[in-house]
Amino acid sequence: MANYFDDNEDLQFYMDRGLDWAPIVGLVEQDFRIPGGYASLDEARAAYRDILGMVGEFAAEQIAPKSMAIDAKGVHLKDGEGHLAPETDALFEQIKGLDLHGLALPRELGGIGCPAVVHFMVCELMARADNVVMTHYNFYSGIALMLLLYSVHEGSTTFDREQRVITGTRFQPEIAEILRGDAWGSMDITEPDAGSDMAALKARAEQDEEGNWFITGQKIFLTSGHGKHHIVIARTEPDKPGLGGLSLFHVPAYEDMPDGSRRRIAVIDRLEEKLGHHGSATAAVSFDRAPGRLIGKRGEGFQLMLLLMNNARVGVGFESIGACEAAYRKAKAYAAERRSMGKSIDRHEMIADFLDEMQTEILGLRALAMQCAYHEELHQRTKMQGVLDTDPDSIERARVLKQAKRHANRARRLTPLLKYIASEKAVEMSRKCIQILGGAGYVREYGAEKLLRDAMVLPIYEGTSQIQSLMAMKDAMSGIMRNPQRFLTRVAQARWRSLSALDALERRVARLTSLTLAAQQHLIQRTAADKLRGLGKHKITEWSKEFFQNWDPKRDFSYAMLHAERLTRLMADTAIVEILLEQSRKHPERRSILERWLERAEPRCNALYEEITTRGDRLLAQLRDQQQEDEAASGR
């Protein structure tokens, strides 16, 4: 019987020994003091392993065989409601019976109480079987978890500190409905004239004299947007442009009446026809003074939406790895059977190299994803623990929150790298899968072309690859400007390790780290030089203020923005080899994975460095000329 967990040694490595489960499980289980909880770390891990084994079998035996039918039948809009394929509905009845919607929710709210890391591993297993099913699944459990986190953030969740359990939470009825499998939700951000530029959002929220909120506007490209519980970002301060005027709301899209009918509050305008994800409902939804409940405080919308999106981006990373795994397994199985020129094509040098590259990259991507999920979870849970268990002004709370911030910084650095590189590799590997299958890959019967169609959205939704690159670049540049001395220390340490480390692999990793830091140094020096050249337009008395204070990222970071994707690839490669090096110190059998990754990363990183340090002036000059022409034209 097929099982996507049992046949994956790398996933089992992380479950058995590749992650330090003790800190996470200790926080989840409140040091094993929760009534009815697990009694020990070993008992908890054994339970998690059983869940992953169950989901691995379910994904292989139930989801994967229905994938082609789900794609062929798609979704449709009838009588104002979105309808999925019958096969999808049947699968979610099974998922409902397995209680998987509450996987990472606390037991006292009806959940199973697993760490979020286990939830992400489940997402990978489902995505390997079918991206659409995994995505829709995430808008059950993911929305329920976010409603809980938002309630904790705003202080509307209560706790029994002695029993160490939640006694009530603001969105408890909605969470219970989702955990039963009776409803799901969506993230409502994008509008017809505003996508990545959230400052341009126009949907508005107005408050009446009694304090009730009403939301008006249209949101588009909503994955699973035919669901009930919408988390909507809208403008509450019409006189305050930009991100500071946005707030976040929970808006139910419909109400189920006692007679079994449904009263629509928000209208589904259409379900999009897409290149891929045919079985997923991507909706445009209009709100016309729809009642909503403010989440957090007015003006916190952007910060709260980032909390939701950061978790979603980690989820897309695992989803992308599932897609990579599906492409690799399909290509490998076909190549082992397809014979050409007297041998199976996996024995031909080029195809063997393709397969080795795909396998190596999956191992590296998963190492990055696990670290990212691990630190994001420790950030959230440590922060919550610090708030609940200590006095507001105590030294202990300050210490715990400082520890949480360290995990947050690590997760913030890794998340855009994961979202970028994993989603791009999902497209690349799906394309290679088609190439290895040849003509069979191009026809629908074999399913390879579906993998590519479904993968194409991964570098787009939850923040495009370009947005991830800009985030990674700006964080790197800002870090250097905030603390140049620490950056120079890192440069010196990496160079020293590249020469003096006793381990040859450590020297190679340090050389890649040095190369990435040198690229960042070049970008910051070039940015500063461009800024200095621009001081001629100002009076000498204004130079100090202009250089040290008046920085405009859109103007002053143009050279760095041009190379943001190249820098992100460099940083991703470096992050992965550093993680694999750390693993190899604890688990010597992982050294071969590090060697394989370095073998492929070193030449491409050298090429990326050369591009960053030698290209761009001509294009930037052309763009500046065009900008000046536009400004002159608008002035006329």
Side-chain angles (χ1 to χ4, degrees):
M1 188 172 287
N3 188 308
Y4 286 171
F5 179 72
D6 289 350
D7 72 2
N8 193 317
E9 291 183 3
D10 198 47
L11 267 178
Q12 294 177 55
F13 164 75
Y14 289 103
M15 188 66 256
D16 294 340
R17 60 192 187 281
L19 286 178
D20 181 8
W21 287 94
I24 287 180
V25 178
L27 288 167
V28 171
E29 295 295 327
Q30 297 290 310
D31 295 328
F32 309 102
R33 288 180 285 174
I34 297 178
Y38 298 119
S40 67
L41 174 63
D42 288 343
E43 183 181 339
R45 287 173 57 192
Y48 304 156
R49 211 180 197 286
D50 287 344
I51 290 170
L52 291 171
M54 175 191 71
V55 174
E57 181 180 328
F58 177 72
E61 294 290 330
Q62 300 298 324
I63 301 177
K66 297 179 177 67
S67 179
M68 298 294 284
I70 290 170
D71 182 69
K73 294 180 182 179
V75 299
H76 64 279
L77 187 63
K78 181 180 179 182
D79 299 327
E81 298 292 340
H83 297 273
L84 305 179
E87 287 80 0
T88 309
D89 289 337
L91 284 172
F92 276 86
E93 280 300 311
Q94 292 177 273
I95 291 172
K96 181 178 177 178
L98 295 172
D99 289 331
L100 288 177
H101 292 313
L103 189 66
L105 270 292
R107 296 182 188 89
E108 58 267 32
L109 295 181
I112 297 178
C114 287
V117 175
V118 175
H119 167 79
F120 287 128
M121 295 168 81
V122 163
C123 287
E124 181 192 327
L125 292 169
M126 286 191 178
R128 177 178 162 188
D130 187 85
N131 253 257
V132 163
V133 172
M134 175 265 152
T135 302
H136 188 52
Y137 165 74
N138 221 19
F139 281 93
Y140 281 82
S141 54
I143 295 297
L145 184 59
M146 289 314 303
L147 288 173
L148 174 59
L149 288 178
Y150 284 145
S151 177
V152 171
H153 167 82
E154 66 183 14
S156 59
T157 295
T158 56
F159 298 85
D160 182 327
R161 294 180 184 274
E162 186 173 332
Q163 293 293 315
R164 307 177 77 82
V165 295
I166 294 172
T167 55
T169 187
R170 179 187 181 190
F171 298 106
Q172 195 157 342
E174 291 78 14
I175 291 171
E177 186 178 26
I178 291 171
L179 296 195
R180 291 195 304 268
D182 295 339
W184 60 90
S186 68
M187 299 164 48
D188 295 22
I189 305 173
T190 306
E191 297 177 9
D193 297 316
S196 300
D197 184 6
M198 291 180 66
L201 294 174
K202 295 179 181 178
R204 66 184 187 276
E206 300 168 308
Q207 196 172 24
D208 66 13
E209 294 178 354
E210 298 177 357
N212 301 307
W213 285 99
F214 300 91
I215 290 79
T216 300
Q218 187 187 51
K219 297 289 184 176
I220 61 172
F221 301 151
L222 308 183
T223 303
S224 297
H226 61 312
K228 181 177 182 179
H229 300 291
H230 290 239
I231 296 177
V232 183
I233 190 164
R235 190 163 298 282
T236 53
E237 324 300 324
D239 298 329
K240 190 174 183 180
L243 299 172
L246 300 173
S247 301
L248 200 65
F249 296 87
H250 167 257
V251 184
Y254 58 81
E255 180 183 3
D256 289 322
M257 308 304 289
D259 63 0
S261 63
R262 176 171 293 177
R263 183 178 72 87
R264 267 275 159 195
I265 300 170
V267 176
I268 302 176
D269 300 318
R270 65 182 180 276
L271 299 180
E272 306 291 354
E273 295 185 10
K274 310 182 295 292
L275 171 68
H277 278 235
H278 289 165
S280 173
T282 304
V285 175
S286 290
F287 303 90
D288 184 5
R289 289 191 59 79
R293 289 185 289 172
L294 179 67
I295 298 174
K297 299 176 182 177
R298 292 176 68 152
E300 284 188 333
F302 178 68
Q303 290 79 7
L304 292 174
M305 187 57 78
L306 280 183
L307 176 63
L308 190 154
M309 290 184 70
N310 286 342
N311 281 275
R313 287 166 178 169
V314 177
V316 173
F318 279 87
E319 178 185 1
S320 299
I321 294 169
C324 291
E325 193 77 55
Y328 167 65
R329 300 287 182 139
K330 186 177 290 291
K332 182 182 178 183
Y334 182 87
E337 295 180 358
R338 178 76 166 90
R339 297 187 65 81
S340 176
M341 303 176 193
K343 56 185 176 182
S344 58
I345 64 172
D346 62 346
R347 305 300 185 195
H348 289 269
E349 290 79 4
M350 286 187 289
I351 303 301
D353 185 51
F354 278 169
L355 293 171
D356 179 77
E357 182 178 37
M358 293 166 78
Q359 184 187 42
T360 300
E361 289 181 338
I362 288 170
L363 296 173
L365 292 173
R366 190 177 287 115
L368 178 61
M370 290 294 178
Q371 277 291 299
C372 191
Y374 184 80
H375 286 286
E376 178 61 25
E377 178 150 23
L378 281 176
H379 157 228
Q380 297 290 350
R381 292 191 184 275
T382 303
K383 182 179 178 180
M384 187 183 301
Q385 199 73 14
V387 170
L388 295 178
D389 278 5
T390 58
D391 295 328
D393 299 322
S394 69
I395 296 175
E396 176 63 15
R397 174 175 287 198
R399 184 193 68 80
V400 172
L401 293 182
K402 186 176 181 180
Q403 182 182 9
K405 188 174 182 180
R406 284 197 295 270
H407 290 299
N409 291 338
R410 176 71 167 162
R412 179 184 172 93
R413 184 173 81 85
L414 296 179
T415 297
L417 303 183
L418 170 65
K419 169 64 169 68
Y420 176 89
I421 198 68
S423 62
E424 293 289 336
K425 288 298 179 182
V427 175
E428 183 181 316
M429 289 192 205
S430 299
R431 163 73 178 81
K432 282 183 180 176
C433 177
I434 290 177
Q435 191 68 24
I436 290 171
L437 269 66
Y442 195 68
V443 299
R444 291 192 173 184
E445 178 185 355
Y446 287 81
E449 57 84 35
K450 178 185 181 299
L451 294 179
L452 180 59
R453 287 189 289 105
D454 286 349
M456 289 295 290
V457 76
L458 297 173
I460 297 173
Y461 67 16
E462 308 301 354
T464 66
S465 289
Q466 290 66 45
I467 291 294
Q468 305 310 307
S469 296
L470 291 174
M471 287 177 59
M473 179 275 293
K474 288 179 179 177
D475 277 357
M477 297 296 99
S478 298
I480 295 172
M481 294 175 70
R482 281 196 305 270
N483 195 338
Q485 187 59 50
R486 187 175 69 173
F487 175 76
L488 292 175
T489 300
R490 289 178 61 205
V491 170
Q493 289 173 342
R495 287 176 179 170
W496 176 248
R497 290 200 314 274
S498 72
L499 298 171
S500 64
L502 297 178
D503 185 345
L505 288 183
E506 184 177 353
R507 292 197 299 271
R508 291 170 69 183
V509 169
R511 282 195 288 271
L512 271 193
T513 302
S514 294
L515 195 68
T516 300
L517 294 175
Q520 295 176 30
Q521 189 171 15
H522 172 80
L523 291 176
I524 202 73
Q525 288 172 342
R526 173 60 187 268
T527 299
D530 288 347
K531 182 71 169 176
L532 283 170
R533 280 194 291 270
L535 294 181
K537 298 182 293 184
H538 302 275
K539 297 177 182 178
I540 293 178
T541 55
E542 297 174 347
W543 283 8
S544 177
K545 182 178 180 181
E546 283 296 320
F547 187 79
F548 290 105
Q549 297 179 28
N550 293 345
W551 283 81
D552 180 356
K554 294 181 180 178
R555 181 192 65 228
D556 299 324
F557 280 72
S558 58
Y559 189 83
M561 286 194 285
L562 175 67
H563 291 293
E565 281 203 68
R566 297 181 183 94
L567 180 64
T568 299
R569 292 177 201 153
L570 261 175
M571 293 169 67
D573 264 326
T574 302
I576 288 169
V577 296
E578 289 174 347
I579 293 167
L580 291 175
L581 176 63
E582 185 63 27
Q583 286 183 3
S584 69
R585 288 169 175 157
K586 299 176 182 177
H587 310 285
E589 70 273 18
R590 305 290 286 184
R591 286 180 65 86
S592 62
I593 301 172
L594 174 58
E595 287 179 302
R596 289 163 61 185
W597 189 278
L598 282 167
E599 178 184 288
R600 295 183 183 276
E602 287 165 333
R604 67 175 170 241
C605 287
N606 284 318
L608 287 166
Y609 176 78
E610 289 299 318
E611 289 186 84
I612 289 171
T613 55
T614 61
R615 287 180 54 186
D617 288 337
R618 177 190 58 78
L619 178 59
L620 288 176
Q622 178 182 330
L623 291 173
R624 280 194 296 268
D625 290 343
Q626 291 173 348
Q627 180 67 25
Q628 290 172 1
E629 291 175 6
D630 291 342
E631 290 173 355
S634 63
R636 290 196 299 269

